[in-house]
């Protein structure tokens, strides 16, 4: 395993931090991180996550472990070669067209879409994702759109949450500034 980049984020609007590293394992990519934060409903959380992608940045699997308030979290997410998604070995219907995984509690997984899409300046693409909803405890579809405006700026939209903003990214593809949500500290 070779570490290529690391980042530390501070959560905006609620107390919290997240730390993540990007790793290369042979031909595969992996992000490995941990988040400690106060959830919107007031519960405190500590979650470790690991997401593995193939060489083309297609999500293969993910684990999320820790706790949210008094609830233990131990999730396994698998995206198989046929496009199917499973959450703790239970198939999740209607996500077969989603290539990417988005963990809603961290900005780390935006790197996966940005790397896979590999947009040139002026290009835009829709990137529907399998989104982990901690509150609902399941995977659902989240429509996202990215438009690259410069080497470090992407216009981002998630209509489900009525959210649009200019994301600033590092040369490695990590989000440096996620307006109203996260900001890199180191």
């Amino acid at each position: 395993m070779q570490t290529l980049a690391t980042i530390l984020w501070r959560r905006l609007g609620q107390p919290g931090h997240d730390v993540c590293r990007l790793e290369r394992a042979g031909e595969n990519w992996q992000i490995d991180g941990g988040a400690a934060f106060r959830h919107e409903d007031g519960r405190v959380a500590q979650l470790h996550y690991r997401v593995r992608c193939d060489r083309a940045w297609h999500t293969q699997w993910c684990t999320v472990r820790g706790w949210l308030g008094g609830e233990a979290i131990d999730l396994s997410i698998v995206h198989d070669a046929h496009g199917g998604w499973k959450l703790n070995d239970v198939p999740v219907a209607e996500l077969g067209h989603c290539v990417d995984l988005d963990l809603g509690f961290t900005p780390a997984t935006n790197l996966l879409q940005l790397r896979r899409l590999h947009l040139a300046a002026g290009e835009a693409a829709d990137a529907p994702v399998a989104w982990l909803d901690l509150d609902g405890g399941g995977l659902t579809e989240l429509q996202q759109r990215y438009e690259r405006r410069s080497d470090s700026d992407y216009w981002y939209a998630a209509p489900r949450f009525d959210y649009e903003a200019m994301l600033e990214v590092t040369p490695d593809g990590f989000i440096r500034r996620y307006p109203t949500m996260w900001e890199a500290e180191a």
Side-chain angles (χ1 to χ4, degrees):
M1 196 73 67
Q2 176 189 12
T3 299
L4 303 174
T6 60
I7 193 161
L8 170 67
W9 290 285
R10 177 176 53 89
R11 192 160 180 199
L12 306 173
Q14 294 280 347
H17 280 86
D18 190 326
V19 63
C20 185
R21 66 183 176 194
L22 171 62
E23 301 169 319
R24 181 81 184 212
E27 291 190 358
N28 297 317
W29 302 97
Q30 182 169 291
I31 57 172
D32 187 9
F37 58 94
R38 181 176 308 279
H39 197 323
E40 287 80 9
D41 66 9
R43 294 180 291 170
V44 175
Q46 181 275 318
L47 299 170
H48 176 264
Y49 56 90
R50 181 172 288 152
V51 183
R52 174 71 63 97
C53 296
D54 67 15
R55 66 180 175 192
W57 294 97
H58 300 117
T59 300
Q60 295 177 315
W61 57 261
C62 169
T63 58
V64 178
R65 293 188 173 94
W67 45 269
L68 175 59
E71 176 187 357
I73 304 290
D74 188 3
L75 302 173
S76 170
I77 301 167
V78 175
H79 184 219
D80 66 33
H82 304 291
W85 290 88
K86 289 183 181 177
L87 176 61
N88 290 342
D89 294 324
V90 176
V92 180
E94 301 179 11
L95 294 178
H97 62 288
C98 297
V99 176
D100 304 306
L101 176 67
D102 189 306
L103 302 177
F105 61 87
T106 176
T109 48
N110 292 89
L111 175 137
L112 307 177
Q113 290 92 272
L114 293 175
R115 286 281 188 118
R116 184 182 61 76
L117 292 170
H118 193 64
L119 299 173
E123 289 183 330
D126 292 324
V129 297
W131 180 72
L132 179 63
D133 178 5
L134 282 179
D135 294 323
L139 287 177
T140 61
E141 182 179 344
L142 176 63
Q143 289 290 330
Q144 298 180 333
R145 182 165 180 82
Y146 293 90
E147 180 183 336
R148 189 167 192 173
R149 299 277 177 93
S150 71
D151 286 347
S152 63
D153 294 327
Y154 289 81
W155 184 253
Y156 170 76
R160 176 178 180 178
F161 299 112
D162 197 28
Y163 183 84
E164 292 184 344
M166 186 67 72
L167 305 180
E168 182 183 332
V169 302
T170 68
D172 299 306
F174 281 122
I175 303 297
R176 176 178 288 136
R177 197 172 71 77
Y178 202 134
T180 72
M181 299 178 78
W182 295 92
E183 190 169 83
E185 288 190 335

